[in-house]
Amino acid sequence: MACERSNLVQAHYDGELPSGEAAALRRHLERCADCRKLLAELRAVSTAVASARLRRPSQMTQRRLRHAPRLRREQSVRRLTGWLTATAAAIVLATWVLPTRNQAPPPRYAQGTDAPVVGAALFGGADENVPEVVLAAHWMASDLSAPRVVEP
Amino acid sequence: MSSTQADDQLLRRSRSGDERAFSELVDRHGDYLFGVARSLVRSDHDAEDAVQECLLAALRARYDERASVRTWLVGILVRQAALVRRKRWRWSREAHQPAPQPRPDAADAVDARLDLTKMLQELSPDHREVIVLRELEQMSYDEMARLLEVPRGTIESRLFRAREQLRRMSSEERDGL
């Protein structure tokens, strides 16, 4: 487009020019063939778009849209139920299954004595008569890597 | 009672949980919203997603009555369609899959008018948005700028390029290129 005022034609066409500028452009259009051609093209595009056919939704889509809030609520309930089920399963797994798998073997008792042999194993064989309460405390803290030194 | 007042009331009743009012609102505007959405996204499925999110968002959003309910809904729809496009892009579908071919529609056989989706499919999403908002909804540059969160000058240049591309495509079609 050769005319330097052509950049105003679209704004004029869309009614976006202040009234003073619009009046000046109308006068310009009377003598500028390029700008008149641009204006005609803008009108043609608008007519084509406004008269174009819009795609229609299927009946299934129409039904789903009509019930969108209810479908969304049901979807949320299903999601929440799934989440709660997964959480419950994780809790059961953490409470029952995993501790059983990682549990220390039951203490073995030396023949003819009440002292647990495991005490010797745990405490480097220093004393087989380690009280059971100390052993229990040790097992409870078994995730701590450093072994305790227990004075006899 | 004017159509705008009735739409207002339907919207209010829908917000208070009246499902029949919501259905009626969809009966009035659902097809139009779907048609507009279908010109902004690449498949019927995405268009349905965008319209559904638009309608649900409308139940929460504030309606200031400056525009008609339909124009207000189209504003929400344009934003929802952009979100759907972004989601699809993230899933790399848009990047790696060809655009789905439009389904043959029984209406095509009896309606010789140009199809808006086909008309706009060569345009970028930004250009499709401004064409829909300006040519179908008659939004002002300032309204579009606010809605799309871009400067007014950007709206003007997008609109100019989009119209120029449509004009070029139309003349190429006429010339049989």
Side-chain angles (χ1 to χ4, degrees), chain A residues 34-102:
Chain A
D34 282 348
C35 287
R36 277 202 305 278
K37 182 167 177 278
L38 176 58
L39 189 62
E41 287 169 354
L42 291 172
R43 283 201 185 105
V45 167
S46 294
T47 304
V49 173
S51 61
R53 179 169 48 80
L54 295 175
R55 297 268 174 92
R56 284 176 56 81
S58 67
Q59 287 185 344
M60 187 70 86
T61 296
Q62 285 173 330
R63 271 201 295 277
R64 280 195 294 262
L65 292 177
R66 245 181 240 125
H67 301 295
R70 185 167 53 77
L71 293 174
R72 176 54 57 90
R73 276 198 304 276
E74 289 170 3
Q75 192 182 30
S76 301
V77 168
R78 275 200 302 276
R79 197 172 291 163
L80 182 65
T81 309
W83 186 85
L84 288 175
T85 307
T87 306
I91 290 170
V92 167
L93 199 70
T95 312
W96 296 98
V97 181
L98 294 180
T100 309
R101 285 166 61 90
N102 297 331

Side-chain angles (χ1 to χ4, degrees), chain A residues 6-7 10-17 37-38 41-42 45-58 60-62 64-73 75, chain B residues 19 22-23 26-27 31-32 34-36 38 48 51-53 55-56 59 102 105 108 111 113-119 131 134-136 140-141 152 156 159-160 163 166-167:
Chain A
S6 63
N7 60 335
Q10 175 178 259
H12 171 66
Y13 173 67
D14 289 328
E16 297 276 350
L17 278 186
K37 182 167 177 278
L38 176 58
E41 287 169 354
L42 291 172
V45 167
S46 294
T47 304
V49 173
S51 61
R53 179 169 48 80
L54 295 175
R55 297 268 174 92
R56 284 176 56 81
S58 67
M60 187 70 86
T61 296
Q62 285 173 330
R64 280 195 294 262
L65 292 177
R66 245 181 240 125
H67 301 295
R70 185 167 53 77
L71 293 174
R72 176 54 57 90
R73 276 198 304 276
Q75 192 182 30
Chain B
E19 295 195 1
F22 183 85
S23 296
V26 174
D27 286 344
D31 285 10
Y32 177 77
F34 180 88
V36 171
R38 191 60 190 81
E48 183 179 330
V51 176
Q52 183 178 315
E53 293 306 323
L55 292 167
L56 293 172
L59 296 179
D105 187 341
D108 287 347
D111 193 342
R113 288 178 299 161
L114 279 170
D115 177 318
L116 185 68
T117 304
K118 274 188 197 164
M119 194 188 283
I131 287 291
R134 178 64 213 173
E135 302 291 10
L136 296 184
S140 71
Y141 294 174
R152 182 189 154 104
E156 281 191 69
L159 198 51
F160 189 83
R163 283 165 161 166
L166 286 174
R167 188 200 58 75

